[in-house]
Amino acid sequence: MTLDLSEALKEATKEVHTQAENAEFMRNFQKGQVTRKGFKLVMASLYHIYVALEEEIERNKENPVYAPVYFPEELHRRAILEQDMAFWYGPHWQETIPYTQATRRYVQRLQEVGRMQPELLVAHAYTRYLGDLSGGQVLKKIAQKALDLPDSGEGVAFFTFPNIVSATKFKQLYRSRMNSLEMTPEVRQRVIEEAKTAFLLNIQLFEELQELLTHDAEDQSPTQAPGLRQRAASRMQDSAPPETPRGKPQLNILSQAPLLRWVLTLSFLVATVAVGLYAM
């Protein structure tokens, strides 16, 4: 018996789905080990990805190969991601947000599919929207706690789908619409393979972000050492006796305290006598 498209996609992507969840970046995220820099990077990448995806969706919204799963009010993320970009990168965010190489590859693939193979677009929509809808609330809470973000939802608006009352019921509706798409067995298989590609593009993105964060941490370590050495040298200079114009240290304490010099001299004589008596 042939599986429905939604079931076939779920079955075929189990392995790559697990790989994506086990990527180091995502494992750290799920454990609450996420920095502001890492979170900003992934949010910027998501912005670029959703802009490309939704531009291609709009291009194909009346195409029978996509029209049944066109839910802009419920799913589209671009406008809400713009709010998050302003929160994280400020009012001029469009000029400053990063655009990594893995993100560019992801965007290029979305553009190729939307313009040349629109029948495969549903694979990317399924992977992104249903994935974010399923795990969004959990990731939102993790980010809010780890990054000490306000409960109002600022900075994590992406994870909220205000026009979806029940995620479970909406996913059921979405899958039923997917299953109604008419396609040949050959196209169906290509859609399944494209869903795998979508997961692989996500994995590459996570790996790149983790590498960027790791290199950033490594780059910071050497820069701290000279600072420590400089502070140590400064402390040594502060504790060293001042020098005369000729470069010879001044013995300030001895030169400025005749009484102390006398006491030290007397102590030396006493010690000398004591040693002589002991030697006898």
Side-chain angles (χ1 to χ4, degrees), residues 6-24:
S6 61
E7 289 299 318
L9 286 172
K10 183 178 180 181
E11 187 66 27
T13 58
K14 275 185 179 179
E15 184 177 347
V16 286
H17 192 173
T18 301
Q19 290 176 18
E21 289 179 333
N22 288 330
E24 185 177 358

Side-chain angles (χ1 to χ4, degrees), residues 37-268:
K37 179 166 185 176
F39 192 72
K40 287 172 66 175
L41 278 172
V42 73
M43 294 300 284
S45 292
L46 288 173
Y47 170 77
H48 291 300
I49 289 165
Y50 274 101
V51 167
L53 175 59
E54 290 168 7
E55 283 179 352
E56 300 311 319
I57 287 174
E58 289 299 317
R59 188 193 308 276
N60 292 281
K61 63 182 178 182
E62 296 179 357
N63 191 322
V65 300
Y66 189 82
V69 291
Y70 179 63
F71 291 97
E73 296 299 321
E74 293 85 355
L75 294 176
H76 284 197
R77 305 281 84 198
R78 178 174 182 168
I80 210 161
L81 273 165
E82 289 176 350
Q83 298 175 24
D84 287 338
M85 292 300 97
F87 177 87
W88 290 110
Y89 290 95
H92 304 294
W93 60 268
Q94 290 177 311
E95 303 168 9
T96 59
I97 60 171
Y99 196 2
T100 69
Q101 289 300 314
T103 306
R104 289 180 188 275
R105 288 194 296 270
Y106 201 149
V107 166
Q108 288 169 0
R109 182 56 187 165
L110 290 169
Q111 292 170 341
E112 290 171 1
V113 165
R115 296 169 191 182
M116 301 171 62
Q117 305 177 77
E119 66 275 10
L120 305 183
L121 197 56
V122 66
H124 289 278
Y126 162 83
T127 303
R128 284 249 55 98
Y129 290 123
L130 266 63
D132 294 328
L133 186 57
S134 297
Q137 289 306 304
V138 173
L139 294 177
K140 174 184 176 181
K141 290 177 181 178
I142 292 173
Q144 285 178 316
K145 182 178 180 181
L147 303 176
D148 195 23
L149 297 174
D151 294 334
S152 58
E154 292 178 287
V156 288
F158 166 76
F159 298 104
T160 303
F161 292 78
N163 294 325
I164 296 179
V165 177
S166 169
T168 301
K169 290 182 178 179
F170 182 83
K171 285 187 288 186
Q172 290 173 348
L173 171 63
Y174 193 90
R175 291 189 181 105
S176 69
R177 293 286 188 90
M178 280 181 61
N179 297 335
S180 72
L181 292 170
E182 295 184 6
M183 58 182 65
T184 66
E186 184 270 335
V187 169
R188 175 189 169 95
Q189 187 57 40
R190 287 170 53 220
V191 169
I192 292 172
E193 293 303 319
E194 191 65 25
K196 294 179 184 178
T197 297
F199 274 106
L200 291 173
L201 287 168
N202 277 286
I203 292 169
Q204 291 173 8
L205 173 62
F206 295 149
E207 290 175 345
E208 180 190 56
L209 294 180
Q210 185 61 43
E211 186 177 354
L212 288 171
L213 293 173
T214 301
H215 284 176
D216 183 65
E218 291 173 351
D219 290 342
Q220 286 181 357
S221 297
T223 61
Q224 292 173 356
L228 292 173
R229 288 195 295 269
Q230 186 175 3
R231 289 194 294 273
S234 177
R235 287 196 294 270
M236 291 177 65
Q237 290 174 0
D238 292 341
S239 62
E243 295 187 352
T244 65
R246 293 183 182 181
K248 296 181 180 179
Q250 292 180 339
L251 299 178
N252 284 346
I253 295 177
L254 296 180
S255 64
Q256 294 176 11
L259 179 61
L260 183 57
R261 280 189 307 183
W262 183 84
V263 170
L264 289 173
T265 302
L266 181 61
S267 298
F268 176 75

